Amino acid sequence: MIKTDIYDAAKGVKIYTLANSKGMTASFMERGATMISLCTPDKNGKIENVIVQLKDYDEYVKNTCYISVVPGRYANRIGKCKFSLEGKEYKLNANDGQNSLHGGPHGFHEKNWTVKSMDDKACGPEITFEYVSPDGEENFPGTLTSQVTYKVTENNELAITYKATTDKTTIVNLTQHAYFNLSGDFKTPSISGYQVQINADAITEVDAESIPTGKIAPVEGTAFDFRKPTVLNTIKDFWYDHNYCLNKNGDEMTFAAEVKDPESGRVMKVYTSEPGMQFYTGNFLDGTLDTPYGKKVTRQSAFCFETQHYPDAPNNPQFASTTLCPGQEYTHKAVFKFEA
């Protein structure tokens, strides 16, 4: 089922909700192709929202934490705001110290995407948003046409497909920046008791500004080792904002991660075609954003699993390429499966 409602009548903002026959729903708006809610059952069958939801549209506009948007045109960081393509250097706009983060200060997260199509398929409803980024926007080359398709399946999965084409050689790296809190309706604003497993033997080593050094660092014997399920509060001062190099071959769909919340009984499994995944524990959530549940969004009250190519790949030729040429199609798939 697909339902369209008014989210903010004064501003003409619509909300689009996908629902399967089991009660799972996901709601979206055009600004930033933002996911507003994702509702799944707990161990008792109670349907509740499992992502951070902001109080109203104005909170999403002032949101600087990229909550549940599709950032672009390059998700994550590009060091020193520069990269080279075909012998030409491009200088980006800084919004993370001397670096570019999530496409720059006026990236895809604050653009109004267009609803390209809606399809109420038997295997699950889906909606496709599109944004056409003009040549030179945020100093990126080429007119880039990007699409993101969200689908809610009968297996209680949120399936996401990203696609993009360009008329000039450029770079692209898209993801969904949802902040997950599996307690349901933000009942427990802490993720410290979650059990986390990540299918990765290594991370991309970073410097003090979270820019990759170019080295691939094994996780064995470190606090980054989540190859076996590990409860976060067993790690002293857990603080993660790192790209995991997933154990996979090529672009086939592969198990990336699993998180369990013992209180609600919810389990989330992640699968992706991408080589990497950013694990972020909401370290910089500062309590300035309001939720509809009467609680503030505070430090480590939610986590992100951002399936992606590696950060700063344009400046590290040993990383999988993020270059897109005319005549090619960028494709990225991710699945978030929920159980209880």
Side-chain angles (χ1 to χ4, degrees):
M1 181 185 74
I2 303 176
K3 184 179 180 182
T4 303
D5 288 312
I6 299 298
Y7 184 53
D8 187 317
K11 298 178 177 64
V13 180
K14 295 180 180 178
I15 184 172
Y16 304 88
T17 300
L18 312 180
N20 69 11
S21 65
K22 299 177 181 178
M24 178 178 172
T25 66
S27 296
F28 308 90
M29 68 175 169
E30 288 156 293
R31 180 186 167 89
T34 299
M35 181 162 55
I36 296 175
S37 66
L38 180 62
C39 299
T40 71
D42 68 2
K43 60 186 177 183
N44 298 314
K46 187 175 183 180
I47 306 291
E48 296 170 307
N49 185 21
V50 296
I51 63 171
V52 169
Q53 180 177 354
L54 300 183
K55 182 179 179 181
D56 52 33
Y57 181 74
D58 289 339
E59 289 292 287
Y60 282 101
V61 171
K62 78 177 188 180
N63 158 35
T64 59
C65 297
Y66 303 92
I67 289 179
S68 298
V69 302
V70 174
R73 82 176 58 175
Y74 198 95
N76 216 303
R77 293 173 173 87
I78 295 179
K80 295 181 172 56
C81 289
K82 62 182 181 180
F83 65 96
S84 295
L85 274 180
E86 299 178 332
K88 180 179 179 179
E89 183 175 279
Y90 293 89
K91 185 69 175 177
L92 305 176
N93 298 319
N95 63 333
D96 184 47
Q98 63 177 339
N99 308 305
S100 173
L101 175 64
H102 293 321
H106 302 294
F108 291 7
H109 62 286
E110 64 174 36
K111 307 301 182 183
N112 284 326
W113 293 57
T114 300
V115 175
K116 191 70 175 178
S117 66
M118 292 187 286
D119 195 339
D120 201 358
K121 297 181 177 180
C123 57
E126 62 181 47
I127 186 170
T128 297
F129 293 92
E130 181 178 88
Y131 177 64
V132 180
S133 174
D135 183 22
E137 185 173 63
E138 288 293 328
N139 296 335
F140 287 96
T143 299
L144 186 78
T145 300
S146 300
Q147 292 185 348
V148 56
T149 299
Y150 296 107
K151 180 175 183 175
V152 172
T153 77
E154 285 299 301
N155 294 321
N156 279 1
E157 299 166 330
L158 175 69
I160 310 176
T161 301
Y162 310 84
K163 293 184 178 181
T165 57
T166 184
D167 64 357
K168 182 179 179 181
T169 302
T170 190
I171 59 173
V172 61
N173 190 29
L174 303 177
T175 193
Q176 167 53 240
H177 207 293
Y179 284 73
F180 294 96
N181 180 302
L182 303 182
S183 68
D185 293 347
F186 213 57
K187 288 197 299 294
T188 307
S190 173
I191 60 172
S192 63
Y194 290 6
Q195 178 180 282
V196 177
Q197 181 180 10
I198 302 175
N199 181 25
D201 293 334
I203 60 169
T204 47
E205 181 186 82
V206 294
D207 63 17
E209 296 182 321
S210 296
I211 303 300
T213 64
K215 297 180 180 179
I216 303 299
V219 299
E220 186 171 2
T222 75
F224 299 102
D225 193 348
F226 287 96
R227 291 174 297 176
K228 293 182 180 179
T230 304
V231 178
L232 288 176
N233 62 20
T234 64
I235 302 168
K236 184 178 180 181
D237 300 325
F238 71 86
W239 181 287
Y240 296 96
D241 190 10
H242 296 80
N243 173 67
Y244 279 76
C245 306
L246 299 175
N247 298 330
K248 65 195 308 296
N249 293 313
D251 58 1
E252 82 279 8
M253 292 294 288
T254 304
F255 168 72
E258 179 179 284
V259 178
K260 295 181 179 180
D261 171 29
E263 291 188 18
S264 70
R266 289 186 176 92
V267 179
M268 184 179 80
K269 297 178 181 179
V270 184
Y271 303 83
T272 185
S273 61
E274 292 294 273
M277 185 187 72
Q278 191 85 0
F279 178 37
Y280 175 50
T281 50
N283 315 313
F284 300 107
L285 297 172
D286 60 5
T288 59
L289 293 172
D290 286 319
T291 70
Y293 310 111
K295 297 175 182 177
K296 297 282 189 177
V297 186
T298 55
R299 177 179 178 269
Q300 296 181 342
S301 61
F303 70 93
C304 301
F305 275 160
E306 305 157 59
T307 58
Q308 62 182 9
H309 268 59
Y310 296 175
D312 204 31
N315 294 313
N316 288 276
Q318 71 274 31
F319 293 171
S321 176
T322 54
T323 299
L324 183 69
C325 300
Q328 297 178 332
E329 182 179 64
Y330 163 89
T331 304
H332 162 191
K333 296 181 179 180
V335 172
F336 297 83
K337 181 177 176 59
F338 293 88
E339 300 171 352

